[in-house]
Amino acid sequence: MRKLKICADPFPPYQYIDKDGCVKGRDYELVAGRLHKAGYETEVCIAPWNQIYPEFESGQQDVLFQAQDSPERLEKFYLSKKLRDAVTEVVTADETLKDIQNYSELENYRLGVIADFANGPEIDSLSASCKVEFPDAAAVLKGIYDGEVDFGVLDQGVKEYLMSDNVTLYPAPALTYYRPLYVMFREEKVRDDFDAAGEQA
């Protein structure tokens, strides 16, 4: 059985390393399970994006999961059928702000984002002066709780996984958006085997 090196950035509850050093998560289990069903063994690496993406580009990793498509990626790699939609929310601790209707209105506030993370054109096109960068989703949440920012951009599942039970956050429904996520492959045959295994489920 051929062994594939698969990678993703840590994004609990989708993929993460637990306190015992084991890889866990919904997306990890789905991707690894499909690859095993297709006849492949897997060796997984969960590490920051700025490590795994260059490794994938250079061929040190065979598969990268939980990725967005882009013209450049579609030209260079083989993308699976859609893995799932990521639900991204703009959230606030101030209930009076939840009815904001347009992304452009965020320019008047402090917006917490994850550094070096592509949130999509609506958020990425906002001026840098309104954004406060944080190293990860937990730090964005803390920035909201502590009043360092007025809003934060967070994956819905990650937010729910990390959120404290004694704090209420309010999504701005008009600014919730969906991003399709895929699995990227360096080889077309492996991609086709992965997609076929998914169709058999």
Side-chain angles (χ1 to χ4, degrees):
M1 193 179 277
R2 179 176 170 200
K3 183 182 281 188
L4 296 173
K5 292 184 175 184
I6 69 172
C7 62
D9 53 340
F11 222 64
Y14 305 110
Q15 65 269 349
Y16 62 98
I17 299 172
D18 72 9
K19 62 180 174 31
D20 298 322
C22 298
V23 178
K24 302 278 185 188
R26 290 182 267 189
D27 285 358
Y28 162 69
E29 290 165 11
L30 175 64
V31 170
R34 250 191 228 173
L35 287 167
H36 293 158
K37 188 175 182 180
Y40 298 97
E41 288 182 29
T42 58
E43 177 184 318
V44 66
C45 173
I46 303 295
W49 184 262
N50 62 3
Q51 174 187 330
I52 61 162
Y53 191 66
E55 287 181 359
F56 177 73
E57 281 188 304
S58 69
Q60 296 171 62
Q61 301 285 346
D62 302 303
V63 178
L64 187 150
F65 63 97
Q66 210 190 57
Q68 295 180 66
D69 64 350
S70 70
E72 175 192 318
R73 290 176 184 171
L74 290 168
E75 190 176 297
K76 292 169 65 174
F77 307 117
Y78 301 96
L79 271 65
S80 69
K81 293 181 179 171
K82 184 171 75 172
L83 182 65
R84 67 175 177 84
D85 281 318
V87 181
T88 302
E89 295 178 327
V90 177
V91 298
T92 181
D94 182 346
E95 188 174 9
T96 66
L97 296 177
K98 71 180 170 97
D99 293 325
I100 192 167
Q101 294 296 306
N102 298 300
Y103 292 101
S104 61
E105 293 176 67
L106 294 170
E107 294 277 2
N108 302 314
Y109 297 96
R110 294 165 300 151
L111 178 65
V113 297
I114 298 172
D116 301 320
F117 188 81
N119 288 294
E122 297 86 353
I123 299 296
D124 295 343
S125 64
L126 295 171
S127 67
S129 63
C130 74
K131 296 177 191 168
V132 178
E133 292 190 340
F134 293 93
D136 55 33
V140 172
L141 278 173
K142 185 173 183 331
I144 298 168
Y145 298 156
D146 294 347
E148 194 177 335
V149 293
D150 304 298
F151 292 94
V153 180
L154 294 161
D155 176 272
Q156 184 182 64
V158 173
K159 178 199 77 177
E160 291 168 1
Y161 178 82
L162 295 174
M163 209 164 92
S164 170
D165 289 336
N166 58 358
V167 176
T168 302
L169 291 180
Y170 304 94
L175 305 186
T176 296
Y177 59 98
Y178 299 84
R179 294 176 298 121
L181 297 178
Y182 304 90
V183 181
M184 288 196 302
F185 298 85
R186 294 189 54 78
E187 296 175 37
E188 185 175 21
K189 181 188 182 322
V190 178
R191 187 270 314 269
D192 293 347
D193 291 345
F194 176 84
D195 283 345
E199 290 168 3
Q200 297 169 7

